[in-house]
Amino acid sequence: MTADDSFGRLDDDYPAYTMGRAAEMLNTTQGFLRAIGEARLITPLRSPGGHRRYSRYQLRIAARARELVDGGTPIEAACRIVILEDQLEEAQRINTEHRLKPASTPPAA
């Protein structure tokens, strides 16, 4: 499974998934989810009882980290790569917005 397959169309920020369900959906362990949380890749919200809850957006990020780890990348490096990929995507989006804006004309003298 790739991050773009089943999670690419999911961008919901609602923390709907328990740690167990999230791990099951990603075909990983709860320990992996804890590790990427400790690496500050994702920060799950907590239920009133203190249980971790993950959003679909967080699952997509975790799936990408899982791809890298499955490919042999150490978890800390995988988390850093995902963060850098996200920053690059945001910078490219901002650049595109600036290029598409019409040039403002200077005020008449």
Side-chain angles (χ1 to χ4, degrees):
M1 166 176 39
T2 65
D4 292 330
D5 289 347
S6 57
F7 296 101
R9 64 183 180 279
L10 305 175
D11 59 356
D12 186 12
D13 288 327
Y14 183 75
Y17 301 97
T18 64
M19 178 179 269
R21 180 67 180 130
E24 182 181 305
M25 291 172 70
L26 296 172
N27 195 28
T28 191
T29 65
Q30 292 181 15
F32 175 80
L33 292 174
R34 282 189 206 94
I36 63 174
E38 289 170 11
R40 297 180 186 236
L41 178 61
I42 59 175
T43 304
L45 292 175
R46 298 282 183 150
S47 70
H51 300 282
R52 291 173 180 89
R53 296 283 190 254
Y54 297 89
S55 69
R56 290 177 177 181
Y57 175 73
Q58 290 172 326
L59 294 182
R60 189 167 43 90
I61 291 171
R64 176 64 182 133
R66 172 73 196 270
E67 285 177 359
L68 292 167
V69 170
D70 287 351
T73 304
I75 196 162
E76 297 83 10
C79 291
R80 185 67 183 139
I81 289 167
V82 173
I83 290 167
L84 290 170
E85 287 174 343
D86 189 54
Q87 290 173 345
L88 175 61
E89 184 179 322
E90 178 67 9
Q92 289 172 332
R93 184 191 62 75
I94 291 169
N95 269 349
T96 299
E97 285 178 9
H98 285 290
R99 279 195 307 265
L100 295 177
K101 281 185 181 178
S104 59
T105 58

XYZ file of all heavy atoms in Angstrom:
849
model
N 0.850 -1.171 0.000
C 0.000 0.000 0.000
C 0.893 1.229 0.000
O 1.894 1.283 0.674
C -0.890 0.000 1.241
C -1.550 1.321 1.467
S -2.725 1.466 2.829
C -2.062 0.525 4.131
N 0.509 2.240 -0.751
C 1.244 3.489 -0.738
C 0.387 4.548 -0.078
O -0.825 4.401 0.047
C 1.608 3.952 -2.161
O 0.400 4.245 -2.848
C 2.415 2.906 -2.913
N 1.027 5.639 0.313
C 0.291 6.726 0.962
C -0.748 7.303 0.018
O -1.775 7.798 0.454
C 1.256 7.818 1.419
N -0.509 7.230 -1.294
C -1.437 7.813 -2.255
C -2.619 6.899 -2.545
O -3.625 7.360 -3.062
C -0.719 8.138 -3.555
C 0.263 9.272 -3.366
O 0.032 10.135 -2.507
O 1.266 9.278 -4.090
N -2.517 5.619 -2.261
C -3.598 4.691 -2.584
C -4.854 4.985 -1.786
O -5.666 5.811 -2.170
C -3.154 3.243 -2.355
C -2.158 2.780 -3.390
O -1.982 3.457 -4.403
O -1.548 1.729 -3.164
N -5.023 4.294 -0.679
C -6.270 4.412 0.069
C -6.323 5.650 0.938
O -7.394 6.066 1.338
C -6.490 3.168 0.927
O -5.402 2.988 1.787
N -5.185 6.305 1.217
C -5.212 7.456 2.099
C -5.083 8.770 1.351
O -5.243 9.823 1.931
C -4.109 7.345 3.158
C -4.325 6.174 4.065
C -3.612 5.012 3.892
C -5.276 6.237 5.063
C -3.831 3.930 4.717
C -5.500 5.155 5.890
C -4.777 3.998 5.714
N -4.774 8.736 0.061
C -4.576 9.950 -0.699
C -5.800 10.838 -0.765
O -5.697 12.052 -0.825
N -6.965 10.271 -0.742
C -8.178 11.078 -0.855
C -8.752 11.452 0.508
O -9.779 12.107 0.596
C -9.211 10.336 -1.679
C -9.698 9.051 -1.045
C -10.690 8.304 -1.943
N -11.127 7.100 -1.310
C -10.464 5.964 -1.291
N -9.299 5.870 -1.901
N -10.940 4.909 -0.681
N -8.087 11.046 1.559
C -8.575 11.318 2.905
C -7.832 12.504 3.495
O -6.638 12.453 3.717
C -8.369 10.083 3.795
C -8.988 8.792 3.279
C -8.607 7.650 4.197
C -10.481 8.910 3.172
N -8.531 13.569 3.756
C -7.863 14.732 4.323
C -8.632 15.289 5.513
O -8.486 16.439 5.865
C -7.643 15.800 3.266
C -8.936 16.265 2.642
O -9.998 15.713 2.974
O -8.895 17.188 1.826
N -9.428 14.483 6.106
C -10.254 14.884 7.241
C -9.397 15.081 8.485
O -8.528 14.283 8.788
C -11.296 13.794 7.460
C -12.319 14.155 8.516
O -12.387 15.304 8.942
O -13.060 13.244 8.906
N -9.636 16.148 9.208
C -8.888 16.430 10.432
C -9.594 15.953 11.699
O -9.093 16.166 12.796
C -8.616 17.935 10.554
C -7.583 18.407 9.554
O -6.672 17.630 9.230
O -7.699 19.549 9.107
N -10.742 15.322 11.574
C -11.485 14.857 12.747
C -10.798 13.630 13.340
O -10.554 12.645 12.626
C -12.930 14.521 12.371
C -13.749 14.100 13.559
C -14.196 15.041 14.477
C -14.052 12.766 13.772
C -14.935 14.659 15.586
C -14.795 12.374 14.878
C -15.231 13.316 15.773
O -15.954 12.937 16.875
N -10.466 13.632 14.633
C -9.763 12.497 15.258
C -10.711 11.330 15.542
O -11.170 11.139 16.663
C -9.203 13.101 16.541
C -10.171 14.187 16.880
C -10.663 14.731 15.567
N -10.982 10.539 14.544
C -12.006 9.507 14.631
C -11.484 8.113 14.973
O -12.269 7.251 15.353
C -12.765 9.432 13.306
N -10.182 7.868 14.856
C -9.667 6.509 14.947
C -8.851 6.286 16.215
O -7.954 7.063 16.530
C -8.815 6.185 13.717
C -9.611 6.320 12.451
C -9.554 7.479 11.697
C -10.466 5.312 12.044
C -10.307 7.621 10.553
C -11.228 5.444 10.899
C -11.148 6.607 10.160
O -11.906 6.747 9.027
N -9.147 5.206 16.906
C -8.365 4.820 18.076
C -6.993 4.335 17.617
O -6.782 4.033 16.439
C -9.045 3.682 18.842
O -9.083 2.525 17.994
C -10.441 4.062 19.300
N -6.092 4.227 18.548
C -4.758 3.747 18.207
C -4.820 2.340 17.619
O -4.160 2.050 16.618
C -3.842 3.756 19.426
C -2.459 3.208 19.113
S -1.365 3.226 20.510
C -0.643 4.824 20.279
N -5.619 1.484 18.216
C -5.732 0.114 17.713
C -6.274 0.067 16.298
O -5.757 -0.666 15.445
N -7.311 0.840 16.026
C -7.908 0.875 14.685
C -6.936 1.490 13.687
O -6.792 1.005 12.563
C -9.226 1.649 14.711
C -9.898 1.739 13.373
C -10.394 0.366 12.900
N -11.026 0.527 11.610
C -10.755 -0.205 10.546
N -9.897 -1.203 10.622
N -11.360 0.015 9.400
N -6.252 2.558 14.085
C -5.273 3.203 13.199
C -4.157 2.221 12.839
O -3.777 2.108 11.674
C -4.703 4.454 13.856
N -3.636 1.514 13.827
C -2.575 0.535 13.573
C -3.073 -0.561 12.636
O -2.361 -0.973 11.723
C -2.087 -0.059 14.891
N -4.293 -1.002 12.841
C -4.886 -2.032 11.978
C -5.018 -1.523 10.543
O -4.677 -2.235 9.592
C -6.257 -2.411 12.533
C -6.970 -3.495 11.774
C -8.327 -3.783 12.398
O -8.368 -4.076 13.615
O -9.330 -3.694 11.675
N -5.502 -0.305 10.373
C -5.681 0.261 9.040
C -4.357 0.412 8.303
O -4.298 0.258 7.086
C -6.379 1.624 9.128
C -7.822 1.534 9.563
S -8.549 3.148 9.893
C -8.639 3.818 8.242
N -3.286 0.719 9.045
C -1.971 0.901 8.443
C -1.160 -0.387 8.375
O -0.044 -0.387 7.858
C -1.176 1.943 9.241
C -1.758 3.351 9.247
C -0.985 4.229 10.217
C -1.744 3.947 7.857
N -1.731 -1.445 8.923
C -1.038 -2.730 8.985
C 0.319 -2.572 9.677
O 1.351 -2.993 9.175
C -0.878 -3.339 7.593
C -0.502 -4.800 7.661
O -0.837 -5.492 8.616
N 0.198 -5.273 6.648
N 0.267 -1.920 10.839
C 1.477 -1.688 11.613
C 1.175 -1.949 13.079
O 0.112 -2.466 13.414
C 1.993 -0.249 11.381
O 3.302 -0.144 11.931
C 1.086 0.810 11.967
N 2.093 -1.595 13.936
C 1.890 -1.813 15.369
C 1.561 -0.501 16.064
O 1.841 0.578 15.548
C 3.170 -2.388 16.015
O 4.210 -1.399 15.918
C 3.601 -3.683 15.335
N 1.010 -0.622 17.247
C 0.755 0.562 18.055
C 2.084 1.202 18.460
O 2.170 2.422 18.586
C -0.081 0.195 19.276
C -1.491 -0.223 18.895
C -2.351 -0.569 20.095
O -2.017 -0.249 21.229
N -3.475 -1.219 19.839
N 3.095 0.391 18.614
C 4.428 0.910 18.936
C 4.959 1.833 17.846
O 5.622 2.829 18.141
N 4.679 1.505 16.585
C 5.089 2.375 15.482
C 4.405 3.733 15.604
O 5.037 4.777 15.447
C 4.763 1.729 14.133
C 5.049 2.625 12.961
C 6.340 2.767 12.489
C 4.026 3.328 12.345
C 6.617 3.606 11.409
C 4.286 4.170 11.267
C 5.588 4.306 10.800
N 3.109 3.723 15.908
C 2.377 4.983 16.057
C 2.922 5.791 17.234
O 3.050 7.010 17.148
C 0.885 4.716 16.224
C 0.186 4.153 14.984
C -1.255 3.786 15.304
C 0.248 5.137 13.829
N 3.259 5.103 18.316
C 3.859 5.808 19.449
C 5.198 6.419 19.052
O 5.518 7.554 19.420
C 4.061 4.853 20.629
C 2.820 4.556 21.403
C 3.144 3.771 22.688
N 1.984 3.003 23.068
C 1.749 1.739 22.735
N 2.636 1.062 22.035
N 0.658 1.116 23.124
N 5.992 5.664 18.293
C 7.325 6.127 17.891
C 7.246 7.365 17.003
O 8.016 8.310 17.187
C 8.089 5.011 17.183
N 6.324 7.388 16.051
C 6.233 8.579 15.194
C 5.627 9.749 15.967
O 5.882 10.907 15.632
C 5.503 8.318 13.855
C 4.056 7.911 14.049
C 6.276 7.321 13.008
C 3.263 7.776 12.760
N 4.872 9.444 17.010
C 4.398 10.502 17.900
C 5.545 11.078 18.715
O 5.654 12.291 18.878
N 6.408 10.203 19.228
C 7.571 10.654 19.991
C 8.532 11.445 19.117
O 9.195 12.372 19.591
C 8.291 9.460 20.619
C 7.517 8.834 21.756
C 8.105 7.512 22.228
O 9.235 7.163 21.814
O 7.428 6.837 23.017
N 8.591 11.109 17.822
C 9.435 11.842 16.878
C 8.760 13.134 16.424
O 9.316 13.876 15.625
C 9.754 10.960 15.674
N 7.565 13.389 16.932
C 6.782 14.596 16.645
C 6.365 14.728 15.190
O 6.196 15.830 14.684
C 7.518 15.839 17.116
C 7.728 15.842 18.612
C 8.452 17.075 19.054
N 8.755 16.954 20.471
C 8.383 17.834 21.375
N 7.700 18.883 21.031
N 8.699 17.657 22.639
N 6.220 13.585 14.531
C 5.695 13.623 13.167
C 4.203 13.914 13.202
O 3.703 14.728 12.433
C 5.967 12.306 12.435
C 5.421 12.229 11.014
C 6.061 13.308 10.135
C 5.662 10.856 10.431
N 3.513 13.252 14.092
C 2.085 13.505 14.302
C 1.835 13.604 15.803
O 2.540 12.988 16.595
C 1.178 12.411 13.682
C 1.493 11.039 14.257
C 1.271 12.413 12.171
C 0.555 9.946 13.784
N 0.839 14.377 16.158
C 0.445 14.499 17.562
C -1.034 14.180 17.637
O -1.873 15.019 17.305
C 0.705 15.915 18.101
O 2.085 16.227 17.908
C 0.354 16.018 19.566
N -1.355 12.955 18.041
C -2.777 12.603 18.105
C -3.481 13.381 19.210
O -2.864 13.762 20.204
C -2.754 11.106 18.412
C -1.437 10.864 19.061
C -0.487 11.877 18.488
N -4.737 13.645 18.993
C -5.539 14.252 20.052
C -5.835 13.182 21.088
O -5.687 11.986 20.827
C -6.823 14.831 19.471
C -6.610 16.044 18.560
C -7.930 16.472 17.946
C -5.999 17.195 19.339
N -6.240 13.602 22.243
C -6.556 12.657 23.321
C -8.037 12.740 23.646
O -8.620 13.825 23.695
C -5.748 12.982 24.575
C -4.253 12.873 24.414
C -3.803 11.454 24.460
N -2.348 11.352 24.375
C -1.660 10.390 24.925
N -2.257 9.445 25.620
N -0.360 10.348 24.785
N -8.627 11.576 23.883
C -10.021 11.526 24.315
C -10.080 11.992 25.772
O -9.044 12.105 26.433
C -10.552 10.091 24.199
O -9.932 9.268 25.175
N -11.272 12.251 26.290
C -11.371 12.643 27.703
C -10.721 11.619 28.637
O -10.212 11.972 29.699
C -12.871 12.750 27.944
C -13.438 13.085 26.599
C -12.570 12.339 25.620
N -10.692 10.359 28.229
C -10.065 9.322 29.037
C -8.566 9.198 28.805
O -7.912 8.340 29.394
N -7.999 10.038 27.924
C -6.558 10.013 27.681
C -6.115 9.120 26.543
O -4.920 8.978 26.300
N -7.052 8.521 25.821
C -6.695 7.627 24.715
C -6.374 8.429 23.460
O -7.016 9.431 23.174
C -7.838 6.648 24.424
C -8.175 5.794 25.601
N -7.421 4.711 25.969
C -9.174 5.897 26.506
C -7.944 4.160 27.057
N -9.016 4.867 27.406
N -5.390 7.950 22.715
C -4.993 8.628 21.479
C -6.069 8.449 20.411
O -6.605 7.361 20.247
C -3.676 8.065 20.955
C -2.483 8.394 21.802
C -1.262 7.632 21.278
N -0.072 7.912 22.048
C 0.301 7.236 23.131
N -0.421 6.223 23.563
N 1.400 7.558 23.780
N -6.313 9.530 19.665
C -7.264 9.510 18.547
C -6.576 10.137 17.342
O -5.980 11.206 17.429
C -8.527 10.314 18.881
C -9.333 9.751 20.020
C -10.125 8.539 19.547
N -11.079 8.107 20.544
C -10.948 7.024 21.298
N -9.887 6.279 21.173
N -11.867 6.693 22.155
N -6.678 9.452 16.206
C -5.999 9.868 14.985
C -7.008 10.303 13.922
O -8.062 9.700 13.766
C -5.157 8.716 14.428
C -4.052 8.307 15.362
C -4.272 7.342 16.342
C -2.804 8.892 15.283
C -3.266 6.981 17.217
C -1.786 8.532 16.150
C -2.023 7.572 17.118
O -1.029 7.217 17.991
N -6.615 11.321 13.165
C -7.443 11.780 12.050
C -7.008 11.055 10.773
O -5.943 10.429 10.728
C -7.285 13.291 11.861
O -5.984 13.591 11.388
N -7.804 11.184 9.748
C -7.447 10.591 8.454
C -6.191 11.246 7.902
O -5.355 10.583 7.292
C -8.608 10.729 7.478
C -9.770 9.849 7.852
C -10.925 10.040 6.919
N -11.991 9.124 7.292
C -13.130 9.042 6.654
N -13.373 9.808 5.608
N -14.041 8.174 7.045
N -6.064 12.539 8.094
C -4.862 13.245 7.653
C -3.625 12.656 8.339
O -2.606 12.399 7.694
C -4.992 14.739 7.967
C -3.748 15.530 7.668
C -3.375 15.806 6.356
C -2.936 15.985 8.702
C -2.223 16.529 6.080
C -1.785 16.701 8.436
C -1.433 16.970 7.129
O -0.283 17.672 6.863
N -3.708 12.420 9.634
C -2.585 11.835 10.364
C -2.291 10.417 9.881
O -1.127 10.009 9.826
C -2.861 11.843 11.862
C -2.830 13.231 12.451
C -3.281 13.271 13.890
O -4.161 12.505 14.300
N -2.698 14.173 14.668
N -3.316 9.689 9.519
C -3.104 8.335 9.003
C -2.360 8.377 7.668
O -1.508 7.526 7.396
C -4.433 7.598 8.841
C -5.189 7.287 10.140
C -6.460 6.507 9.815
C -4.327 6.521 11.121
N -2.665 9.365 6.845
C -1.966 9.500 5.569
C -0.488 9.791 5.803
O 0.380 9.211 5.154
C -2.623 10.602 4.729
C -2.106 10.669 3.310
C -2.965 11.536 2.390
N -3.402 12.768 2.971
C -2.733 13.924 2.915
N -1.572 13.970 2.308
N -3.227 15.008 3.452
N -0.182 10.661 6.755
C 1.208 10.970 7.094
C 1.900 9.725 7.647
O 3.022 9.405 7.276
C 1.263 12.135 8.101
C 0.834 13.421 7.417
C 2.659 12.273 8.707
C 0.651 14.588 8.363
N 1.224 9.015 8.538
C 1.795 7.795 9.124
C 2.039 6.737 8.050
O 3.042 6.018 8.107
C 0.870 7.257 10.210
N 1.145 6.649 7.069
C 1.313 5.674 5.985
C 2.567 5.987 5.181
O 3.312 5.075 4.791
C 0.083 5.667 5.084
N 2.832 7.261 4.934
C 4.049 7.640 4.200
C 5.291 7.287 5.011
O 6.267 6.748 4.471
C 4.018 9.138 3.865
C 5.269 9.642 3.203
C 5.512 9.009 1.836
N 6.764 9.516 1.282
C 7.703 8.759 0.732
N 7.520 7.459 0.605
N 8.807 9.289 0.270
N 5.273 7.570 6.302
C 6.408 7.199 7.153
C 6.603 5.692 7.149
O 7.736 5.201 7.090
C 6.194 7.720 8.573
N 5.515 4.972 7.190
C 5.590 3.502 7.183
C 6.236 3.001 5.897
O 7.040 2.072 5.908
C 4.186 2.934 7.366
C 4.059 1.440 7.195
C 4.672 0.688 8.373
N 4.890 -0.695 8.034
C 4.010 -1.678 8.225
N 2.852 -1.438 8.761
N 4.308 -2.902 7.883
N 5.896 3.613 4.751
C 6.519 3.236 3.471
C 8.036 3.362 3.552
O 8.768 2.475 3.103
C 6.045 4.154 2.345
C 4.660 3.919 1.846
C 4.284 4.951 0.780
O 5.114 5.849 0.466
O 3.176 4.862 0.271
N 8.486 4.483 4.097
C 9.930 4.719 4.184
C 10.600 3.731 5.123
O 11.669 3.197 4.813
C 10.186 6.161 4.645
C 9.795 7.245 3.637
C 9.789 8.611 4.299
C 10.716 7.221 2.434
N 9.977 3.486 6.267
C 10.537 2.533 7.233
C 10.567 1.133 6.627
O 11.562 0.412 6.765
C 9.752 2.573 8.562
C 10.156 1.432 9.478
C 9.972 3.919 9.257
N 9.510 0.755 5.938
C 9.478 -0.559 5.280
C 10.580 -0.683 4.229
O 11.048 -1.778 3.943
C 8.120 -0.819 4.640
C 7.036 -1.119 5.659
O 7.346 -1.301 6.853
O 5.850 -1.165 5.250
N 10.987 0.457 3.665
C 12.065 0.464 2.670
C 13.453 0.496 3.282
O 14.450 0.582 2.577
N 13.537 0.477 4.609
C 14.828 0.413 5.279
C 15.306 1.710 5.898
O 16.401 1.765 6.452
N 14.515 2.757 5.816
C 14.897 4.042 6.399
C 14.645 4.002 7.908
O 13.570 3.590 8.333
C 14.069 5.185 5.776
O 14.232 5.147 4.360
C 14.491 6.538 6.304
N 15.610 4.437 8.717
C 15.368 4.490 10.165
C 14.193 5.415 10.473
O 13.954 6.397 9.766
C 16.670 5.067 10.728
C 17.698 4.789 9.685
C 16.976 4.835 8.374
N 13.460 5.115 11.521
C 12.217 5.836 11.822
C 12.436 7.333 12.010
O 11.645 8.147 11.532
C 11.475 5.200 13.011
C 10.038 5.698 13.036
C 12.186 5.455 14.316
C 9.114 4.847 13.862
N 13.524 7.719 12.680
C 13.786 9.143 12.884
C 14.014 9.847 11.549
O 13.519 10.959 11.321
C 14.995 9.363 13.806
C 14.811 8.830 15.215
C 15.099 7.331 15.321
O 15.628 6.720 14.354
O 14.774 6.754 16.369
N 14.768 9.204 10.662
C 15.031 9.776 9.340
C 13.748 9.811 8.514
O 13.497 10.782 7.798
C 16.108 8.964 8.618
N 12.939 8.769 8.612
C 11.672 8.730 7.874
C 10.771 9.883 8.294
O 10.165 10.548 7.449
C 10.968 7.388 8.096
N 10.713 10.139 9.583
C 9.887 11.250 10.080
C 10.411 12.571 9.553
O 9.633 13.438 9.130
C 9.843 11.240 11.603
S 8.915 9.845 12.279
N 11.716 12.754 9.559
C 12.301 13.998 9.045
C 12.019 14.159 7.556
O 11.706 15.253 7.093
C 13.808 14.016 9.316
C 14.475 15.293 8.927
C 14.023 16.445 9.812
N 14.651 17.669 9.355
C 14.037 18.838 9.284
N 12.801 18.962 9.677
N 14.672 19.888 8.855
N 12.123 13.078 6.800
C 11.840 13.121 5.364
C 10.399 13.539 5.115
O 10.118 14.392 4.270
C 12.146 11.758 4.701
C 13.656 11.540 4.653
C 11.532 11.668 3.302
C 14.066 10.118 4.309
N 9.467 12.961 5.858
C 8.055 13.295 5.684
C 7.815 14.766 6.012
O 7.082 15.462 5.295
C 7.150 12.366 6.525
C 5.705 12.820 6.479
C 7.262 10.931 6.023
N 8.444 15.263 7.060
C 8.304 16.680 7.418
C 8.844 17.563 6.299
O 8.201 18.537 5.890
C 9.021 16.972 8.755
C 8.250 16.322 9.911
C 9.175 18.471 8.982
C 9.015 16.267 11.221
N 10.007 17.212 5.763
C 10.601 18.004 4.683
C 9.751 17.938 3.413
O 9.599 18.943 2.705
C 12.029 17.545 4.410
C 13.038 17.878 5.506
C 14.367 17.177 5.244
C 13.225 19.379 5.629
N 9.200 16.768 3.112
C 8.308 16.647 1.947
C 7.093 17.557 2.105
O 6.673 18.222 1.155
C 7.848 15.199 1.770
C 8.895 14.266 1.254
C 8.453 12.814 1.222
O 7.454 12.448 1.893
O 9.103 12.030 0.516
N 6.555 17.599 3.310
C 5.398 18.444 3.582
C 5.755 19.922 3.433
O 4.995 20.702 2.841
C 4.865 18.148 4.980
C 3.538 18.828 5.246
O 2.599 18.636 4.457
O 3.444 19.558 6.257
N 6.919 20.310 3.932
C 7.362 21.702 3.807
C 7.582 22.079 2.341
O 7.222 23.180 1.915
C 8.636 21.932 4.613
C 8.413 21.898 6.106
C 9.708 21.953 6.902
O 10.803 21.742 6.371
N 9.595 22.232 8.185
N 8.157 21.168 1.573
C 8.377 21.417 0.153
C 7.054 21.580 -0.578
O 6.891 22.503 -1.390
C 9.198 20.284 -0.470
C 9.408 20.365 -1.981
C 10.152 21.642 -2.356
C 10.138 19.134 -2.476
N 6.107 20.710 -0.293
C 4.794 20.801 -0.923
C 4.132 22.144 -0.616
O 3.547 22.780 -1.495
C 3.907 19.649 -0.453
C 2.559 19.595 -1.128
C 1.736 18.412 -0.644
O 2.303 17.326 -0.423
O 0.514 18.589 -0.485
N 4.237 22.595 0.628
C 3.657 23.883 1.018
C 4.351 25.028 0.296
O 3.694 25.953 -0.192
C 3.752 24.066 2.538
C 3.225 25.380 3.038
C 1.720 25.576 2.875
O 1.008 24.622 2.512
O 1.261 26.706 3.117
N 5.674 24.992 0.196
C 6.415 26.041 -0.503
C 6.034 26.069 -1.982
O 5.866 27.148 -2.565
C 7.917 25.823 -0.341
N 5.869 24.908 -2.590
C 5.466 24.849 -3.998
C 4.058 25.408 -4.186
O 3.787 26.109 -5.156
C 5.560 23.417 -4.522
C 6.986 22.954 -4.670
C 7.101 21.480 -5.007
O 6.240 20.667 -4.649
N 8.178 21.119 -5.694
N 3.172 25.129 -3.246
C 1.809 25.655 -3.321
C 1.823 27.183 -3.243
O 1.161 27.866 -4.026
C 0.956 25.080 -2.190
C -0.519 25.504 -2.252
C -1.272 25.140 -0.989
N -0.758 25.797 0.200
C -0.958 27.093 0.502
N -1.648 27.868 -0.297
N -0.452 27.601 1.608
N 2.612 27.716 -2.318
C 2.711 29.168 -2.166
C 3.300 29.794 -3.431
O 2.819 30.825 -3.913
C 3.536 29.525 -0.914
C 2.751 29.140 0.342
C 3.917 31.004 -0.892
C 3.560 29.191 1.621
N 4.351 29.179 -3.992
C 4.946 29.678 -5.235
C 3.928 29.713 -6.359
O 3.857 30.689 -7.113
C 6.128 28.811 -5.654
C 7.438 29.297 -5.102
O 7.519 30.393 -4.568
N 8.460 28.480 -5.228
N 3.149 28.674 -6.480
C 2.125 28.613 -7.524
C 1.108 29.723 -7.337
O 0.722 30.388 -8.305
C 1.430 27.235 -7.517
O 2.418 26.233 -7.778
C 0.338 27.159 -8.568
N 0.684 29.946 -6.111
C -0.268 31.023 -5.833
C 0.301 32.374 -6.248
O -0.396 33.185 -6.841
C -0.635 31.053 -4.347
C -1.575 29.972 -3.921
C -1.867 30.005 -2.428
O -1.461 30.987 -1.746
O -2.502 29.063 -1.943
N 1.576 32.614 -5.935
C 2.200 33.895 -6.274
C 2.334 34.064 -7.788
O 2.154 35.170 -8.304
C 3.561 34.047 -5.596
C 3.464 34.342 -4.138
N 3.009 35.547 -3.653
C 3.750 33.593 -3.052
C 3.021 35.523 -2.333
N 3.459 34.344 -1.941
N 2.656 32.990 -8.481
C 2.784 33.077 -9.939
C 1.443 33.337 -10.613
O 1.383 33.977 -11.651
C 3.392 31.784 -10.489
C 4.891 31.726 -10.367
C 5.475 30.631 -11.243
N 4.859 29.337 -11.009
C 5.326 28.391 -10.199
N 6.429 28.605 -9.522
N 4.704 27.251 -10.062
N 0.368 32.830 -10.017
C -0.953 32.978 -10.628
C -1.599 34.322 -10.330
O -2.555 34.704 -11.001
C -1.869 31.844 -10.168
C -1.458 30.447 -10.617
C -2.406 29.398 -10.033
C -1.415 30.343 -12.128
N -1.108 35.030 -9.322
C -1.676 36.337 -8.987
C -1.317 37.329 -10.085
O -0.171 37.383 -10.529
C -1.134 36.848 -7.653
C -1.774 36.232 -6.462
C -1.257 36.896 -5.194
C -1.879 36.254 -3.975
N -1.349 36.849 -2.744
N -2.289 38.133 -10.496
C -1.962 39.146 -11.502
C -1.019 40.197 -10.898
O -1.120 40.524 -9.721
C -3.313 39.758 -11.859
C -4.244 39.379 -10.754
C -3.666 38.138 -10.102
N -0.117 40.650 -11.714
C 0.838 41.665 -11.241
C 0.085 42.956 -10.975
O -0.750 43.378 -11.762
C 1.922 41.878 -12.288
N 0.362 43.539 -9.844
C -0.318 44.811 -9.516
C 0.384 45.930 -10.265
O 1.591 45.936 -10.420
C -0.316 45.042 -8.019
O 1.004 45.088 -7.555
N -0.401 46.869 -10.716
C 0.164 48.012 -11.428
C 0.507 49.091 -10.414
O -0.219 49.312 -9.457
C -0.835 48.549 -12.457
O -2.040 48.900 -11.777
C -1.129 47.523 -13.523
N 1.625 49.775 -10.633
C 2.006 50.830 -9.687
C 1.021 51.993 -9.780
O 0.417 52.222 -10.826
C 3.399 51.238 -10.143
C 3.547 50.734 -11.525
C 2.578 49.599 -11.696
N 0.842 52.703 -8.681
C -0.093 53.842 -8.699
C 0.379 54.927 -9.663
O 1.568 55.123 -9.859
C -0.093 54.346 -7.253
C 1.011 53.640 -6.553
C 1.467 52.495 -7.415
N -0.560 55.599 -10.273
C -0.232 56.662 -11.221
C 0.392 57.840 -10.485
O -0.009 58.179 -9.383
C -1.487 57.116 -11.954
N 1.371 58.464 -11.120
C 2.063 59.590 -10.474
C 1.395 60.917 -10.752
O 0.713 61.170 -11.622
C 3.508 59.634 -10.930
